[in-house]
Amino acid sequence: MVNNSYTGYLSYTNVAPSAQERCIITDLVKTKVQHLRELEEMARILNSQLIQARTDFLEHKALLSAARKLPMEIMSEIFLQCLPAVDTSSVIWRPEPHPNQAPLLLTQICRSWRNIAIATPRLWSTLIINASNGSSSHAEITKLWLTRSRNVSLTLTLLVRSADRFHGGRRTTSYEEFVPIAAIEVLTMFIPHFPRVRALALLFALPVIRAVSELRPVEDDVCNQLERLHLTTSFENTPLEITWTRSLVHSAPNLRHLYFDSSMVPLPIVRGQEWCLRLRTINLDAAYGIPPEDFFLLLRNSPELIRCVIVMNLDELLNHFTRWDEMPKVIHTALQELSLSSEDASLGNVLDLLTLPALVSLKLGAVGDEAWPHNELLHFLSRSLCVLKELKLDSEMMTDEQLIIYLGLVNQSLRVLYLPTWKSTSERILRFITPIKFKAGTLLNLSNRSPLPLGRTLPYLETLSFGITPHLYPESLRDFVEDRCFTDLGITKLRAIHIHLLLPLIPGLATHLDLALKALLDQLSVDKNIDLTITSSHLRFPCFIST
């Protein structure tokens, strides 16, 4: 403050100080500057002491932390909970190792945590390697994981996707030449550890097996811990690949889940008894399929089988002929989910030989010009006395009346319905799902149609899925979505609808529908009663929309 005895009155006026007063004020300013510096120095010292005191306080408080009293075993369990979430619906259970994620992140906190993390083998028991880009670090990561996992059971995934076959500025002459070296190194390192592998996924879009020179057929019972196996290939198979794949499957007596996606004919894999005794899930989605004999042999040799997805093949070009009159009937009391794709002619024979009393999910797909096996399917459902909760019947040869009969048999138990995707037109599907109140002219010949009364026929339906071709009837999808026909019909159980758009490659069509569907979904944003999913391979809008 200004000295009141000499110049204090100047603070309340605009009067300029005199010469004498200026000398007095100058001396006061010098004094105040010195005093201010002294206070700032004191503040700096006090602030430094405050920081040091706070640091000492936190350090001493940390000494009393309950974490210090936790045994190493408890810390290990906590570290295990830090691992990335497991996606049980995918063969790739966890993402690739990353320094910013556990377990590598846990080794960067402090020396104690690093020692605990390295001493916890289960932290390093799950590894996925995407060797598509051929990074040299993949081999080092694999070696690190295999070393730190010690002797615990392993979950290993090796992924090699297809890529452009141009290599070094020129087009490669063979797929083997383009197989990344990293993929070969990683697989070579995996092989000695097969005896402790619990889950194995080999997802190849290139002939990696063919490129591994050290690869030999797996000996019996070597993979005795293997419970889940997923094999994916998309190439022409050589005897080496078939032999190795067969030996891998047959060396796993405790195998419970087998997923096989390939262009090869998996005949050598299916045939056998010991390997499938404990099998609970099998998915043989091979392009060429398997013959009916192997399908029934699989059912007879797998008493614990619960889920079965099979593509069946009767191609006479493979020199294969089925003698249906010599095949024994099969009663499987454990199978709950069956997905079977076959020709119309063989599907009826298969159903005649099957009895599945525990079945809750049935998906049948048939192709061909033969009549749909209506009577065989009715006899199968009546003979099995199964309580179906999920139904999908897809065939061009099935009539509307036949589908209504099937729905009448399972109306009290059905929860999920996949309407058949008649690719020729959308009119047949829309006859089942559109309400009577639609305006005339929306569909062809509306006055003669026989709409399915979902409210009465399927009172407990929760999920409905169907495909349509909106370019043939552009108003149908808009009317269906805008009018909320299911809520109008009073179906209180229905909570999810999936619509798949079957679109041809017509210029401008996808863009037009894209804009129209966005507008429709904006209008439905206030309706929270039904989850609407719209998918298509050509549209750009999000594939999942919840309204």
Side-chain angles (χ1 to χ4, degrees):
M1 295 180 60
V2 180
N3 192 304
N4 292 331
S5 60
Y6 296 100
T7 59
Y9 72 94
L10 294 176
S11 300
Y12 306 99
T13 66
N14 292 327
V15 179
S18 62
Q20 184 179 1
E21 292 172 339
R22 290 179 63 87
C23 291
I24 296 173
I25 294 173
T26 300
D27 294 338
L28 290 174
V29 168
K30 293 180 180 179
T31 303
K32 298 298 181 182
V33 168
Q34 182 64 28
H35 183 60
L36 181 61
R37 289 176 179 173
E38 294 175 355
L39 293 177
E40 289 177 346
E41 180 64 19
M42 294 175 60
R44 185 188 64 79
I45 296 174
L46 291 175
N47 186 57
S48 176
Q49 294 177 353
L50 178 62
I51 294 175
Q52 183 62 40
R54 183 179 289 112
T55 303
D56 293 342
F57 165 75
L58 294 176
E59 289 179 354
H60 285 80
K61 185 180 180 180
L63 296 176
L64 301 176
S65 173
R68 288 179 171 267
K69 298 186 296 183
L70 293 177
M72 176 181 174
E73 294 77 11
I74 302 298
M75 291 294 294
S76 297
E77 291 297 328
I78 295 176
F79 285 178
L80 290 173
Q81 299 302 317
C82 298
L83 292 173
V86 178
D87 183 8
T88 56
S89 63
S90 173
V91 294
I92 304 176
W93 293 279
R94 290 196 175 106
E96 284 193 279
H98 194 278
N100 295 332
Q101 290 183 339
L104 291 178
L105 178 62
L106 299 174
T107 63
Q108 306 173 38
I109 306 302
C110 63
R111 183 180 302 175
S112 176
W113 281 29
R114 174 181 175 83
N115 293 335
I116 295 175
I118 294 177
T120 306
R122 285 189 297 166
L123 278 175
W124 315 92
S125 63
T126 299
L127 175 63
I128 173 174
I129 293 294
N130 184 354
S132 302
N133 56 8
S135 174
S136 59
S137 63
H138 290 144
E140 299 177 2
I141 293 175
T142 303
K143 182 179 179 180
L144 180 66
W145 250 252
L146 293 176
T147 302
R148 292 182 176 179
S149 62
R150 299 182 184 176
N151 294 322
V152 300
S153 299
L154 295 175
T155 296
L156 302 176
T157 299
L158 177 59
L159 173 64
V160 185
R161 289 192 175 94
S162 296
D164 192 358
R165 292 179 61 186
F166 285 92
H167 182 65
R170 62 181 179 84
R171 186 175 180 86
T172 58
T173 57
S174 64
Y175 280 110
E176 294 89 336
E177 186 179 354
F178 192 70
V179 174
I181 297 178
I184 301 176
E185 294 177 346
V186 170
L187 183 57
T188 304
M189 297 173 67
F190 278 359
I191 294 174
H193 298 271
F194 277 172
R196 62 187 181 104
V197 173
R198 183 177 181 181
L200 178 64
L202 302 178
L203 314 179
F204 299 147
L206 294 173
V208 178
I209 297 177
R210 193 182 312 171
V212 180
S213 57
E214 296 84 358
L215 201 60
R216 297 292 184 273
V218 184
E219 297 179 1
D220 293 341
D221 295 338
V222 167
C223 301
N224 55 3
Q225 293 192 38
L226 188 62
E227 296 182 1
R228 182 185 295 267
L229 177 62
H230 193 125
L231 300 176
T232 298
T233 59
S234 59
F235 48 86
E236 296 296 332
N237 294 273
T238 63
L240 170 64
E241 294 160 349
I242 295 178
T243 302
W244 185 83
T245 305
R246 181 179 185 274
S247 67
L248 177 63
V249 174
H250 286 245
S251 67
N254 295 315
L255 189 64
R256 290 180 174 271
H257 309 279
L258 174 62
Y259 303 86
F260 192 85
D261 304 326
S262 175
S263 59
M264 70 179 291
V265 182
L267 299 180
I269 298 177
V270 175
R271 292 173 184 170
Q273 297 182 7
E274 296 80 4
W275 71 271
C276 57
L277 287 177
R278 303 189 64 184
L279 200 64
R280 297 175 65 88
T281 302
I282 185 168
N283 188 324
L284 295 182
D285 190 10
Y288 295 106
I290 65 173
E293 290 87 347
D294 286 339
F295 170 64
F296 287 105
L297 179 64
L298 177 67
L299 292 183
R300 291 195 298 269
N301 294 336
S302 306
E304 300 182 11
L305 190 64
I306 293 179
R307 184 175 184 269
C308 180
V309 179
I310 295 292
V311 176
M312 191 172 297
N313 183 19
L314 288 177
D315 193 351
E316 296 183 358
L317 296 178
L318 300 176
N319 297 323
H320 174 269
F321 301 93
T322 301
R323 298 180 180 180
W324 296 102
D325 54 343
E326 299 180 0
M327 296 183 63
K329 296 183 177 181
V330 174
I331 301 177
H332 201 292
T333 59
L335 191 63
Q336 298 180 9
E337 302 180 28
L338 174 62
S339 178
L340 181 62
S341 299
S342 177
E343 298 178 357
D344 288 328
S346 62
L347 186 58
N349 294 324
V350 172
L351 294 175
D352 271 341
L353 298 175
L354 276 181
T355 301
L356 307 175
L359 196 65
V360 296
S361 175
L362 177 62
K363 299 178 182 179
L364 298 179
V367 294
D369 298 329
E370 302 290 336
W372 170 257
H374 175 64
N375 294 329
E376 290 84 350
L377 179 55
L378 288 180
H379 294 159
F380 164 76
L381 294 175
S382 302
R383 182 173 62 253
S384 298
L385 294 176
C386 52
V387 181
L388 285 182
K389 295 183 179 180
E390 184 176 15
L391 179 63
K392 179 179 181 181
L393 303 175
D394 196 356
S395 173
E396 290 278 353
M397 305 307 296
M398 184 173 57
T399 65
D400 301 348
E401 291 72 17
Q402 291 173 343
L403 179 59
I404 292 178
I405 293 175
Y406 306 141
L407 296 180
L409 293 176
V410 298
N411 60 341
Q412 297 299 316
S413 61
L414 198 63
R415 300 296 184 270
V416 181
L417 172 62
Y418 297 86
L419 283 176
T421 304
W422 290 293
K423 299 179 179 60
S424 57
T425 177
S426 298
E427 180 184 1
R428 299 178 66 184
I429 291 181
L430 293 170
R431 289 176 57 189
F432 286 87
I433 63 176
T434 52
I436 300 177
K437 70 174 190 174
F438 275 11
K439 298 178 181 179
T442 301
L443 301 175
L444 296 179
N445 198 13
L446 278 178
S447 58
N448 296 329
R449 66 187 179 89
S450 55
L452 179 66
L454 290 177
R456 298 190 305 272
T457 306
L458 304 175
Y460 302 104
L461 189 66
E462 298 175 359
T463 302
L464 176 65
S465 177
F466 59 91
I468 63 175
T469 52
H471 68 287
L472 297 180
Y473 304 98
E475 300 88 357
S476 59
L477 182 61
R478 175 179 294 274
D479 290 339
F480 166 75
V481 179
E482 285 183 341
D483 287 1
R484 300 169 176 81
C485 63
F486 292 101
T487 56
D488 292 341
L489 288 173
I491 301 180
T492 58
K493 298 292 184 180
L494 191 65
R495 290 295 177 265
I497 301 175
H498 171 228
I499 306 174
H500 184 72
L501 306 182
L502 305 173
L503 299 176
L505 295 177
I506 300 178
L509 175 62
T511 302
H512 175 74
L513 286 175
D514 188 25
L515 298 176
L517 287 173
K518 284 182 178 178
L520 284 178
L521 296 171
D522 290 341
Q523 296 177 13
L524 285 174
S525 59
V526 297
D527 188 355
K528 303 297 182 181
N529 294 326
I530 295 181
D531 290 335
L532 175 63
T533 308
I534 301 179
T535 59
S536 174
S537 56
H538 300 299
L539 298 186
R540 295 188 299 272
F541 64 88
C543 63
F544 181 82
I545 303 98
S546 179
T547 61

